Amino acid sequence: VDFLDLRRLLPLLVQVDLFELLGQHWDRLGVRFKDPRLRALLSFQDLYVGLSPYTAPGVFSLLAATELTDGVFYPVGGFGKVSQALEQAALQLGVQ
């Protein structure tokens, strides 16, 4: 998977407003949406990374767009399988 496709990225860079990305997400949403329920709906991705939507930078609004355009990836069998595989690899290498 090519995570840095410049053909997709470069046209978007000229449209980026740094204030939108670095300003507080909740406040930036408030410019466009007055209903707090709608703002909550549009900022729930901030919770994915353990941040409050009231203080998270607006850049986290890109998470939803990434999910829609690139999909969501996860380990088959759940994230517990990752720690189990790491443990198994360490044991095979002699880690105690």
Side-chain angles (χ1 to χ4, degrees):
V1 176
D2 185 3
F3 290 106
L4 185 60
D5 184 349
L6 293 179
R7 292 169 299 174
R8 287 177 54 197
L9 184 62
L10 290 177
L12 297 175
L13 285 178
V14 298
Q15 300 175 40
V16 171
D17 177 352
L18 287 179
F19 186 69
E20 290 288 332
L21 296 179
L22 301 177
Q24 290 182 340
H25 196 188
W26 188 262
D27 293 342
R28 302 311 312 148
L29 286 170
V31 171
R32 292 174 180 80
F33 306 101
K34 300 305 175 199
D35 188 328
R37 296 171 298 179
L38 189 52
R39 289 163 70 183
L41 175 71
L42 296 170
S43 63
F44 78 92
Q45 288 86 359
D46 299 336
L47 303 175
Y48 289 176
V49 292
L51 297 175
S52 164
Y54 305 110
T55 58
V59 71
F60 288 106
S61 65
L62 298 175
L63 288 172
T66 302
E67 290 173 351
L68 291 172
T69 59
D70 297 336
V72 177
F73 298 89
Y74 56 90
V76 175
F79 283 95
K81 292 287 187 179
V82 173
S83 62
Q84 291 170 4
L86 286 172
E87 177 186 31
Q88 195 63 23
L91 290 173
Q92 289 173 355
L93 291 172
V95 176
Q96 297 180 0

